[in-house]
Amino acid sequence: MSEAHDHPNYVKIWYWLLILLAISVAGPMLEIPWITVLTAFGIALIKTFMVAANFMHLKFEKKIIWYLLIIAIIFLGIFYFGVAADIMNTSGQ
């Protein structure tokens, strides 16, 4: 049986996601490269965590779910960086 838990306030989380979206859209408008990268990737990671934890209810799951998620992300990174050099090489036909 699963344990009972309180559901998060979805509207409050949605407002936070909208605020973070506004920040990530406004970041490139400052035309400072490191702020653009920070807002593009940093805030995207925060928003991803918020969605996964609250809307996908990973916050209430057993710890094994988090370990599986982290392993999947590691494999995704290995795959991406393993093939990125070949994909970005545009010379030839």
Side-chain angles (χ1 to χ4, degrees):
M1 291 272 194
S2 68
E3 299 175 11
H5 61 270
D6 294 330
H7 289 281
N9 186 349
Y10 294 117
V11 175
K12 185 177 177 181
I13 295 166
W14 182 68
Y15 283 134
W16 276 109
L17 290 172
L18 284 178
I19 291 168
L20 291 171
L21 173 66
I23 293 170
S24 64
V25 168
M29 291 180 188
L30 297 174
E31 297 181 0
I32 301 173
W34 66 272
I35 291 180
T36 301
V37 171
L38 179 70
T39 58
F41 293 108
I43 293 179
L45 287 173
I46 294 169
K47 291 189 320 187
T48 301
F49 173 75
M50 288 178 68
V51 168
N54 295 298
F55 291 110
M56 296 173 67
H57 299 275
L58 291 182
K59 182 168 47 173
F60 306 112
E61 293 293 331
K62 295 178 181 170
K63 296 295 179 192
I64 189 73
I65 298 296
W66 284 103
Y67 297 137
L68 292 173
L69 179 66
I70 291 169
I71 290 170
I73 290 171
I74 289 171
F75 280 131
L76 179 70
I78 291 170
F79 174 73
Y80 175 77
F81 289 111
V83 299
D86 292 334
I87 292 173
M88 291 181 189
N89 185 6
T90 58
S91 64
Q93 295 185 17

